[in-house]
Amino acid sequence: MKHRKQYRPAPPTHLSALAVPSYHRILVKHGLIEKTLSIPDAYRVFLQVGADPEVQKLSRKAERGRKMKHVPALYLATAMALQGMTKQELEALKLRIEEKRA
């Protein structure tokens, strides 16, 4: 009886998508930051995005009256709010965030 060869792929040379925090993936997906932005800087931008009045308005609609006690729920609400925004609203948000960073 022949045994199968053990196949071991080479270890990845770059960070996998799972190694990057979800807030980083959310911001990259919506074009608010570059993929190469560092994790701490991305977190600061994520906090600014979450504090934006337009995003808060949309995330309140998404949460439907329940208080969010867990951080991942905050990520989900922000992601849902960003998904509900039009391209023009996302561009305006990006400009507001860049003004705050400068």
Side-chain angles (χ1 to χ4, degrees), residues 10-80:
T13 58
H14 63 284
L15 287 175
S16 70
L18 296 175
V20 178
S22 60
Y23 57 85
H24 194 278
R25 289 191 303 268
I26 292 167
L27 295 175
V28 169
K29 176 182 175 185
H30 294 288
L32 296 174
I33 63 170
E34 295 296 320
K35 207 175 209 178
T36 58
L37 189 67
S38 70
I39 302 298
D41 290 339
Y43 188 69
R44 284 188 208 105
V45 171
F46 183 76
L47 292 177
Q48 289 176 348
V49 167
D52 189 70
E54 294 296 318
V55 175
Q56 284 183 348
K57 200 177 351 174
L58 289 171
S59 67
R60 283 190 192 115
K61 288 180 183 177
E63 85 181 65
R64 297 188 187 266
R66 294 185 305 174
K67 290 186 178 179
M68 294 194 179
K69 297 180 181 178
H70 302 289
V71 174
L74 176 64
Y75 294 172
L76 180 64
T78 304
M80 290 175 64

